[in-house]
Amino acid sequence: MNFEELIETNEVRKAVKMRLPYGFFYKRLVDGKYANFLDFHEGVADHVAFSNCVQSEAGQLAKFHNKRQLQFTVNKVEAGVHSIAVELGNYTTFQQLIDDNPAIVAQKNFISQTINDLIDITQQLNEADIFHLCFAPSNVLARKGDGSVRLLCHGSFYAQLDPTVLYKGVEAFVAPEVFVEGSTIDARADVYSLGKFIDWLYQSSGLPFELKSVLAKATAEKPADRYASVKEFSQDMQKRTAARRRFCCGFVCLRPLLLSFA
């Protein structure tokens, strides 16, 4: 056993099955090596259209090139699709990442880099008419070691399934219209869910004042009241953050002068 295999084995010994909205993510020994698998929940996999949904997603994502998108192959058996084999690597959910190491959010650029990476891949997904729909902390993965973002399955491929089953326990991170039959699902649903995730990400350190109104708009109940795209949402965050920095810099420069009049 080489060093990398030893590390992998130790990771597996410490790991447990992680519950994602779609199923349980875990490692399994195959031909002497550990591989990643996702076993779908029964309530999800039992849907008559589910097998077609998974295979459609696998086919489309095979053409999607972004290192933050995890690729997978479908494990199809006579009874249908009940699991997928996910590309190699050590991953955890953001929920587990921060539960295990709360101080990581205080690391320089961790939050800003996480947001930028999510914005980047979501824009690319949306341009391909793919919508993630659920950026719950248990549905956004991180690579162990550097905490960089990874995404797996995307909600728009499973629109035929019952969303109350698919998103059980994480409803707060999903746009209200997703639960309304016949409603239009587009980029504004991802804006909503991303806004909820960003708000969660800042829970321990406190949401910056300049982002409060931005997130309020992003997570508005009515889609028409939100940003029309993730790009528009991102641009407003950047604009407000830059304005805050200019104000702070200006105040620091003026402070000696103001003190001289005190």
Side-chain angles (χ1 to χ4, degrees):
M1 180 181 292
N2 62 33
F3 181 73
E4 289 185 358
E5 290 172 333
L6 179 62
I7 295 296
E8 179 86 351
T9 301
N10 289 336
E11 287 287 347
V12 172
R13 285 172 180 165
K14 292 186 291 183
V16 294
K17 285 188 174 183
M18 296 184 296
R19 193 185 197 284
L20 279 63
Y22 303 93
F24 288 100
F25 188 89
Y26 66 102
K27 285 185 179 291
R28 189 166 78 206
L29 192 63
V30 178
D31 297 330
K33 293 188 177 182
Y34 286 100
N36 295 316
F37 288 89
L38 177 72
D39 287 349
F40 293 105
H41 300 309
E42 286 185 6
V44 175
D46 289 345
H47 192 283
V48 65
F50 181 73
S51 292
N52 290 335
C53 294
V54 180
Q55 292 181 87
S56 173
E57 180 173 32
Q60 289 195 47
L61 291 182
K63 308 168 193 173
F64 184 85
H65 302 293
N66 187 306
K67 67 180 181 180
R68 312 213 177 275
Q69 173 64 54
L70 292 177
Q71 297 293 335
F72 63 85
T73 55
V74 177
N75 296 324
K76 189 175 182 181
V77 295
E78 189 174 335
V81 174
H82 290 274
S83 68
I84 55 176
V86 183
E87 70 176 74
L88 295 176
N90 290 318
Y91 308 105
T92 187
T93 64
F94 259 77
Q95 182 73 66
Q96 194 65 51
L97 177 73
I98 293 178
D99 283 350
D100 289 344
N101 182 18
I104 194 172
V105 296
Q107 290 182 7
K108 185 179 180 182
N109 298 329
F110 174 77
I111 289 181
S112 61
Q113 189 63 56
T114 296
I115 294 172
N116 288 342
D117 290 345
L118 280 172
I119 292 291
D120 173 69
I121 186 172
T122 306
Q123 277 188 234
Q124 190 177 343
L125 287 165
N126 289 175
E127 287 168 3
D129 287 327
I130 299 171
F131 307 103
H132 191 62
L133 301 188
C134 180
F135 290 93
S138 62
N139 198 38
V140 178
L141 298 173
R143 188 172 67 176
K144 289 184 178 180
D146 62 5
S148 59
V149 166
R150 295 293 186 275
L151 296 180
L152 185 52
C153 297
H154 305 292
S156 59
F157 287 102
Y158 305 92
Q160 298 176 63
L161 278 62
D162 184 349
T164 62
V165 173
L166 196 61
Y167 303 118
K168 185 178 180 181
V170 292
E171 297 91 343
F173 289 89
V174 181
E177 65 269 20
V178 173
F179 298 97
V180 179
E181 187 174 355
S183 61
T184 300
I185 305 300
D186 55 24
R188 293 171 297 181
D190 274 353
V191 168
Y192 180 97
S193 193
L194 265 176
K196 289 291 186 179
F197 178 84
I198 293 169
D199 188 47
W200 172 84
L201 201 56
Y202 275 109
Q203 276 184 1
S204 60
S205 59
L207 181 66
F209 175 79
E210 64 271 17
L211 294 185
K212 290 184 178 180
S213 61
V214 179
L215 291 191
K217 180 175 181 177
T219 58
E221 288 293 302
K222 296 180 180 179
D225 294 336
R226 299 177 208 143
Y227 297 99
S229 67
V230 171
K231 182 178 181 180
E232 187 180 323
F233 175 30
S234 174
Q235 287 175 335
D236 203 17
M237 279 196 291
Q238 292 172 6
K239 183 176 72 174
R240 301 295 182 96
T241 300
R244 178 72 172 178
R245 285 175 182 160
R246 287 196 298 271
F247 172 80
C248 291
C249 288
F251 180 78
V252 169
C253 292
L254 287 173
R255 190 168 184 270
L257 181 62
L258 295 173
L259 289 175
S260 69
F261 289 101

